[in-house]
Amino acid sequence: MGRYDLLKEIQRLDPEKDYLRIFRITVTHEFPWDVTRALELALYRTYAVPSIGRLLDETAELTERTQKRYDDTALLLDSVVEHGFDTEDGRTAIRRINQMHRSYDISNDDMRYVLCTFVVVPKRWIDQYGWRRLSEHEKRAMAAYYRKLGEHMGISELPRTYHEFERFLDDYEHEHFGWDEGGRRVSDASLDLMAGWYGPLAPVVRAASLALLDDALLDAFRYERPRPAVQAAVRGALRLRAKAVRLLPPRRVPHYARQNPEIKGYPNGYRIAELGTFPKSRQRGCPVSHADGAAKP
C-alpha cells in the first residue's frame, strides 16, 4: 500500500453519503495522533467562553476529576466514530452525551460553538502540523459527520459546510472570548493533567502547550505570552514530526482513541453505558429517529 493510497480511496467516495467511512479513514488511519491533540485543543478553547468555562468549573468535573472527565469525553466521542450512529454502542454513547448535557442550562449557541471546534480546530491543526493537508473531500465529510452528530444532540441551526462551521467559530470567539475565574481554573487543571502524563518533563510539556495557544486564547485566560523563540521551537518540532511521518508507510489497522496511552482510568475495560456522570436529566435519549423509525430512549 502506497503512502497516498488511502487518500485515493477517500477521493473515490461521496463525502455526503460516505462521510462516516471517510471520517474514519482520516481520524483512525491518516491522522490519529494529530486528531487527538487537536481535539484536546478544541475542548480547551471552549473554556475561554465564560458561560462554558464557568459551568465546567461549577460541576467540578474538570477540576476535581480531570482524568476521568478527559477519558469519558474521549471514549464517548470515539464510540460514535467506531460504531456509527445506528448501532447499539453508537446510540448508547449519544444517549449518555445527551443525558449529561440536558441536565444543565446550556444555550444552543454554546452547544453549536463546541461542535464547531470539533470541525475547525482539527482541520487547522492538520493543515499546520499534519503530514499532508486535508483534502476537500475530507473537509466535506468532517462537516457532514459533525452535522449528523449535532442533529442527534438536538442542536438547531447547524452549519452545513466547513466554511459555515469556521465562520461561526471565528465570530463566536471574537464576540465571547473573555476572562472568567472558573474558566481559568478549568484551564489550569487541564494543563496540569496533560503535563502530568510526562512525569519529570511536566514543566517542558506545560510550556510547550502554552506555546501552541494563540494570543486571543492566552489573553482570555490571562496567561503570560510565551517567548517567540519557544513558540518557534515547539511549532518547528511539530513540523519536523510531520515530515518524518510522511516517510512512514500508511497505517493498515485503525487506531481509536480508546487505544491512546492518555486514557488511564479504565485499565480493566469499560462499558459505554457507564461512562460519564449521572446527574438528574431533564431530557433523555437521542432526539433523532433511527432506522427502525423510533427515537431511542
Side-chain angles (χ1 to χ4, degrees), residues 216-269:
L217 203 52
L218 292 166
D219 291 346
F221 293 128
R222 296 184 182 175
Y223 287 133
E224 183 179 346
R225 294 189 182 184
R227 297 194 306 274
V230 174
Q231 290 181 318
V234 171
R235 297 175 187 189
L238 287 170
R239 293 189 179 101
L240 284 175
R241 175 193 173 274
K243 292 180 179 179
V245 172
R246 190 178 300 128
L247 300 176
L248 298 176
R251 184 182 296 276
R252 295 180 179 272
V253 178
H255 180 95
Y256 291 99
R258 57 180 168 77
Q259 298 168 289
N260 290 343
E262 295 86 6
I263 304 294
K264 299 181 182 296
Y266 300 97
N268 299 316

Side-chain angles (χ1 to χ4, degrees), residues 49 109 113 116 120 124 163-177:
V49 176
D109 280 351
Y113 166 68
C116 287
V120 178
R124 289 178 173 174
H163 293 293
E164 289 179 8
F165 276 98
E166 186 174 53
R167 185 165 57 251
F168 183 87
L169 178 137
D170 288 338
D171 290 347
Y172 207 69
E173 291 185 349
H174 179 74
E175 183 177 353
H176 293 281
F177 265 15

Side-chain angles (χ1 to χ4, degrees), residues 23-43:
F23 189 67
R24 280 179 180 152
I25 294 173
T26 301
V27 305
T28 70
H29 285 267
E30 297 284 76
F31 303 103
W33 186 87
D34 294 280
V35 169
T36 296
R37 303 286 81 78
L39 288 178
E40 290 169 353
L41 182 58
L43 288 170

Side-chain angles (χ1 to χ4, degrees), residues 126 143 208 231 245 278 286 294 296:
I126 290 169
Q231 290 181 318
V245 172
F278 292 83
C286 172
K296 300 299 175 182

Side-chain angles (χ1 to χ4, degrees), residues 54-284:
R54 188 180 309 121
L55 175 61
L56 292 170
D57 178 58
E58 289 171 355
T59 68
E61 291 299 317
L62 272 166
T63 53
E64 297 180 10
R65 294 170 288 276
T66 316
Q67 182 69 60
K68 176 173 169 49
R69 175 59 187 259
Y70 177 93
D71 292 352
D72 290 352
T73 300
L75 293 172
L76 286 170
L77 291 172
D78 194 56
S79 294
V80 185
V81 177
E82 182 170 4
H83 303 290
F85 294 98
D86 292 314
T87 66
E88 184 60 33
D89 283 343
R91 290 195 297 264
T92 299
I94 292 170
R95 183 164 58 246
R96 284 273 56 240
I97 292 169
N98 287 344
Q99 286 170 336
M100 288 185 286
H101 285 146
R102 300 305 175 193
S103 300
Y104 303 101
D105 186 17
I106 306 173
S107 73
N108 185 76
D109 280 351
D110 277 356
M111 294 280 285
R112 189 164 36 149
Y113 166 68
V114 173
L115 193 73
C116 287
T117 67
F118 296 164
V119 178
V120 178
V121 178
K123 185 269 182 187
R124 289 178 173 174
W125 175 284
I126 290 169
D127 282 357
Q128 278 191 291
Y129 306 121
W131 66 270
R132 64 168 175 83
R133 295 172 68 89
L134 281 188
S135 67
E136 287 300 316
H137 265 50
E138 288 170 303
K139 287 193 291 185
R140 289 174 61 190
M142 187 176 291
Y145 175 86
Y146 280 109
R147 188 168 65 246
K148 177 63 68 174
L149 180 60
E151 291 171 0
H152 282 270
M153 294 175 66
I155 302 173
S156 62
E157 301 178 78
L158 291 164
R160 297 202 58 80
T161 67
Y162 169 78
H163 293 293
E164 289 179 8
F165 276 98
E166 186 174 53
R167 185 165 57 251
F168 183 87
L169 178 137
D170 288 338
D171 290 347
Y172 207 69
E173 291 185 349
H174 179 74
E175 183 177 353
H176 293 281
F177 265 15
W179 165 256
D180 182 81
E181 290 183 4
R184 172 61 187 259
R185 280 192 292 268
V186 173
S187 170
D188 288 341
S190 296
L191 275 177
D192 290 344
L193 172 72
M194 290 184 284
W197 292 333
Y198 299 93
L201 294 176
V204 176
V205 174
R206 183 183 177 89
S209 298
L210 289 171
L212 292 172
L213 305 185
D214 57 66
D215 289 347
L217 203 52
L218 292 166
D219 291 346
F221 293 128
R222 296 184 182 175
Y223 287 133
E224 183 179 346
R225 294 189 182 184
R227 297 194 306 274
V230 174
Q231 290 181 318
V234 171
R235 297 175 187 189
L238 287 170
R239 293 189 179 101
L240 284 175
R241 175 193 173 274
K243 292 180 179 179
V245 172
R246 190 178 300 128
L247 300 176
L248 298 176
R251 184 182 296 276
R252 295 180 179 272
V253 178
H255 180 95
Y256 291 99
R258 57 180 168 77
Q259 298 168 289
N260 290 343
E262 295 86 6
I263 304 294
K264 299 181 182 296
Y266 300 97
N268 299 316
Y270 60 90
R271 295 181 67 244
I272 296 172
E274 296 175 357
L275 294 173
T277 59
F278 292 83
K280 185 177 179 181
S281 181
R282 297 176 300 187
Q283 177 179 333
R284 304 185 64 179

